[in-house]
Amino acid sequence: MSVGYIIVSLIILFLILFLIYSIKKNKVIKIRSITIITIIIIFGMFFSSLSLYEKSNQYKSQISQNVLDKNNDEQSSRTIENVKIEVLQNTITSSNVSIRITDNNKIYYGWGEAFRIQEKVNGEWKDLKYILEEVVWIAIAYVPNENNQLTQILDLEHYYGKLNNGIYRIVKPVYDNGYIDIYSDEFEIK
């Protein structure tokens, strides 16, 4: 409790006791005195409630800041090292492939539909070119299940045509204060 709140409360209490004492002694109190006392009481109640309102807002603000700090701490501990993208070997064809994303971060990345394919050529990874003139992805973010996993089926043929024999990997972009790429393990089309 603030000192001002205590002082205002004591003044109100004193005025109420004075009023009761005056009535008991049958003293005649002028209407002006009662009006002044009433105004002082209302004034005191207003400032008391204002003080409580300010304290309530300070408390709410502190709680909001604590929640934001906690979320920022958890998001800053989110790293790509806590993510694994694996190609499910029994799903590999030249037309499509399934991947399993394991995201062990406390606050998951948003896993969208977007992906790219890279091919290993002479020991270096090269992005394949889309066969479409314009590629548009659905703006959606999938969240991993209770096992921190998410499975996606990627339609390679739709975006790249049928893949030739070779070694490939999937690239999934995620947003983390800017877009970053996360790579799958490599897989082979035979």
Side-chain angles (χ1 to χ4, degrees):
M1 249 187 221
S2 71
V3 175
Y5 179 75
I6 293 172
I7 290 172
V8 169
S9 298
L10 288 174
I11 291 172
I12 291 171
L13 181 63
F14 172 76
L15 291 172
I16 291 172
L17 290 174
F18 174 75
L19 185 61
I20 292 171
Y21 173 78
S22 297
I23 291 172
K24 282 187 175 183
K25 294 292 185 182
N26 285 328
K27 290 187 178 179
V28 176
I29 300 177
K30 294 181 179 178
I31 292 182
R32 184 185 302 173
S33 298
I34 292 175
T35 304
I36 291 171
I37 291 172
T38 304
I39 289 172
I40 292 172
I41 290 173
I42 291 171
F43 181 76
M45 290 171 58
F46 171 75
F47 280 104
S48 296
S49 64
L50 185 61
S51 174
L52 288 174
Y53 176 75
E54 287 174 356
K55 287 215 177 285
S56 171
N57 280 346
Q58 288 172 351
Y59 180 70
K60 288 177 186 174
S61 177
Q62 184 61 41
I63 288 174
S64 296
Q65 188 60 46
N66 289 345
V67 168
L68 286 173
D69 290 346
K70 182 177 182 230
N71 283 343
N72 285 338
D73 289 346
E74 287 177 351
Q75 277 193 317
S76 66
S77 68
R78 180 169 67 182
T79 66
I80 60 174
E81 286 78 24
N82 290 334
V83 175
K84 180 180 179 184
I85 301 175
E86 58 186 313
V87 175
L88 302 177
Q89 295 297 315
N90 60 344
T91 67
I92 299 170
T93 70
S94 61
S95 300
N96 59 48
V97 67
S98 293
I99 59 171
R100 180 183 304 126
I101 301 167
T102 304
D103 186 344
N104 288 312
N105 289 295
K106 280 188 178 181
I107 296 182
Y108 302 122
Y109 288 110
W111 296 99
E113 295 281 331
F115 71 92
R116 294 192 325 270
I117 302 270
Q118 291 184 336
E119 182 177 14
K120 196 175 217 179
V121 179
N122 298 324
E124 291 186 31
W125 291 105
K126 305 284 184 184
D127 281 325
L128 295 183
K129 294 197 183 312
Y130 294 114
I131 61 171
L132 303 171
E133 285 186 34
E134 249 183 76
V135 175
V136 179
W137 301 102
I138 298 170
I140 191 169
Y142 298 105
V143 178
N145 63 19
E146 64 277 355
N147 297 322
N148 301 332
Q149 295 183 333
L150 170 68
T151 302
Q152 292 184 330
I153 300 171
L154 308 179
D155 186 353
L156 308 177
E157 187 174 7
H158 178 74
Y159 297 101
Y160 295 98
K162 287 192 181 220
L163 297 183
N164 297 323
N165 291 347
I167 297 175
Y168 300 91
R169 71 178 177 183
I170 306 296
V171 183
K172 291 289 287 180
V174 292
Y175 190 83
D176 195 7
N177 295 323
Y179 280 97
I180 56 175
D181 290 333
I182 302 180
Y183 304 94
S184 74
D185 54 342
E186 57 185 52
F187 63 97
E188 187 174 1
I189 303 284
K190 298 178 184 178

